Amino acid sequence: MIQFDSRNSFYKHPFGSIASGSSLTFRIAAGGGVPAAFARLVLKNEETGAAVTVDGAPEILPGAQEILPGGHDIFEFSPQIEETGLYFYHFEVIRQDGETEQTPDYQLTVYSADYTTPDWLKSGVMYQIFPDRFARSGNYRAPRLNKNYISREDWGGIPNHEPDEKGIVRNNDFFGGNLRGIIEKLGYLEELGVTAIYLNPVFEAYSNHRYDTADFRTIDPILGTEEDFRELCKKAAEKGIRIILDGVFNHTGSDSLYFNKNGRYPEPGAYQSKDSPYYKWYRFTEFPDQYESWWGIDTLPGVNETEPSYLDFIVRSEDSVIKHWLRCGASGYRLDVADELPDEFLEALRAAVKEIRPDGAVIGEVWEDASNKVSYGRRRKYFQGKQLDSVMNYPLKNAVIDFLTHGGNGAELERVVDEIRENYPGPAFRALMNILGTHDTERILTVLAENSRDDGEARQKLFLALLIVSFMPGIPCVYYGDEIGMKGGKDPFNRMCFDRDRGDPAILRFYRRLFAFRRKIDELEDYLFQPRSAEGDFYSFVRIGEKGRLVVAAKSGGICCSDGNADSGGVFLLNLGMAENEYLKDFFISGSVSYDTQGVFRIGENSGVAAWIGAL
């Protein structure tokens, strides 16, 4: 039987993905009654089909028999891989009796040796704002627009969500949140610890969500002006806060300058004339009423992103959309439906961002494992060094929620984290956008409340979830209002108006205290991640840096899963295996904690839900 564990340094070094040209060592152990004659490693680049084959013979490694007693044959392989790509590899062993054995395939991500990601994505706190619902300043009065829409004066009211007489949900009521309102809230965000703001779309559009872009070069007049946006970027930068824009480049609105289906714009759009400069941007199956659209929604006509005139307009020209807003002060883009953006477009976009802002960020909306994602029948290349810096970490979000709401399977949470850590390039893993909720999901407190006995338990689970994602590598992202305990189900109830006066001050205090504690840890972004104990309703990990170690432990409910034995060194959580004579220098606790008569530190034995963080 062949023994191999891709996450064990004895069998594979270094851990996880590698930069092209890096040294790489594999080992396998072949046990059983019949000795092995020789073994082979087969590594195959999925895209090119190029294979690296390395044959070997049994080797004697000092100490190997202590690790693998019982007469195993040890084989070592050291391939050199120069070409980037997604590789799958397996091992074959031929025994002296002629029998052949083969392992399953394992994944290896090989990324460009010059691939780097922005350092500011590896620390701080991100805050996501849905612009129409966050803050409305009386210092800006929007002009009356030539479109069918409703101005709401009842800040905090229920958004219109019922279909009209034609069965269409119009999304055309606006509560009037604006850029000036965000500027006036910068002090609040600074106190919270925010270092980056991700804005849902801010460009002119028909709908209140603004994912149906009408003019890529114009701030929606309901929100403000380009001067307001420049001022937002400037004043945010003075407080150490960056602005990230939502890039919606897979489709436009049908009611737009480019398509102009409703004829609101003076220049002929693609819908009105094949001679329109925008006609080639779209794919008509029968002009003008039948055309490709996003998910079949005819108000969102899809664009051909590789059409040269569109690519120039959005990305490549000297004053392209991408470059213009970066010059106005933006620090990067979150790319809507990144799975539907072609490789050529993504590579050109990232190059344009880095040309204007070498530390600019390109973050993709990808809901699955972004290292091996298949969309529309094609394997994506997000993390080979030329496309994305980061993605929204939906796998972590889903695993944390599952840990808290469905039996507390700590081992499954550990598996998900290990899979991401193994498959993603290190520069991307350390820059992930770690989320608990977004404009596309139910509010995190609502999700947790559905599986809790009462509001107190739901709130404690929220604290626990925040603890986990805040100390994972990457940057935690708070969806506006989660920090004051806003609730809400699916759209539009997850997009209600922000009102701090209606919020839960205890939740806000917790967010502030936690992020303040996080800021106290110097160079946290450089702390290495290591998994620790994970079983039943218990999950833990360690971050190790030059200045100390950080231990994060979480218990989701039920009976404590570990024996609580303390190390002889002193204060200690659940058998995490700290060295002797290590003492806490600082700590942050959420939930019930206690010491027993022997001084053993225990967590969550009364409340059922608790977490502990200690800096050593």
Side-chain angles (χ1 to χ4, degrees), residues 443 445-446 462 481-488 502-505 507-508 511:
R443 289 271 180 185
L445 192 56
T446 295
L462 172 64
D482 281 353
E483 80 279 10
I484 61 171
M486 285 181 66
K487 291 184 178 181
R502 297 183 182 180
D504 185 331
I507 293 179
L508 179 58
Y511 272 71

Side-chain angles (χ1 to χ4, degrees), residues 459-472:
R459 184 170 60 183
Q460 190 61 39
K461 287 180 179 179
L462 172 64
F463 295 166
L464 183 58
L466 185 67
L467 285 163
I468 296 172
V469 301
S470 293
F471 290 91
M472 284 283 172

